[in-house]
Amino acid sequence: MNNTETISQILALKNWAIVGLANNPDRPAFGVSKLLKAKGHRIFPVHPKAEIVHGEVGYQSLADIPVQVDVVDCFVNSNLVGAVVDQAIAIGAKAVWLQLGVIDEAAIQRAQAAGLLTVMDRCPAIEYQRFN
């Protein structure tokens, strides 16, 4: 986990569900999702409000997304992320990415046991800078 090879593999995946993304430019999820979209990823906002963000239709849950999700990027509190990781496993995601400050060792272990690639306590925007 969190090694260069795993991060590179996840950054190469196309469809990213951004859990916690709403139409609030002051939140980190807003800027990170904009960068991911600019890098060619397809983003799917996931938030109870299901708002349109960066021109992309929002969904209330991962299960509502009508296409295969590759990466579930988690902008939620550490005490809530375990349920999101379990949903990522249930929908057949290929990877989970826990953002800076989001830490749940047990959830990461469940994801790894299910065969998902995992990153914890990192930001894809920062990692993209390392690779460029």
Side-chain angles (χ1 to χ4, degrees):
M1 180 178 60
N2 291 0
N3 62 55
T4 301
E5 181 180 336
T6 300
I7 290 169
S8 178
Q9 287 175 323
I10 295 173
L11 291 177
L13 296 171
K14 175 103 174 126
N15 293 334
W16 285 58
I18 314 295
V19 179
L21 175 59
N23 217 352
N24 181 347
D26 295 329
R27 303 290 299 169
F30 191 87
V32 171
S33 61
K34 185 174 182 179
L35 177 131
L36 288 169
K37 188 172 180 179
K39 294 285 188 182
H41 299 283
R42 186 167 177 203
I43 63 163
F44 301 89
V46 179
H47 190 278
K49 294 180 182 177
E51 297 175 322
I52 294 173
V53 184
H54 305 308
E56 303 295 338
V57 173
Y59 299 91
Q60 289 186 329
S61 74
L62 292 172
D64 294 338
I65 300 172
V67 300
Q68 174 64 46
V69 171
D70 297 322
V71 183
V72 176
D73 190 358
C74 302
F75 284 90
V76 297
N77 290 330
S78 296
N79 61 336
L80 302 174
V81 80
V84 176
V85 170
D86 292 340
Q87 292 167 27
I89 294 166
I91 66 165
K94 297 175 184 173
V96 291
W97 190 299
L98 278 55
Q99 283 292 325
L100 289 172
V102 181
I103 299 170
D104 186 331
E105 296 284 350
I108 287 295
Q109 289 174 0
R110 291 193 304 276
Q112 290 172 339
L116 279 70
L117 297 169
T118 60
V119 170
M120 183 170 63
D121 195 24
R122 292 280 203 281
C123 177
I126 294 169
E127 297 303 323
Y128 259 119
Q129 290 176 355
R130 287 182 352 128
F131 285 97
N132 290 332

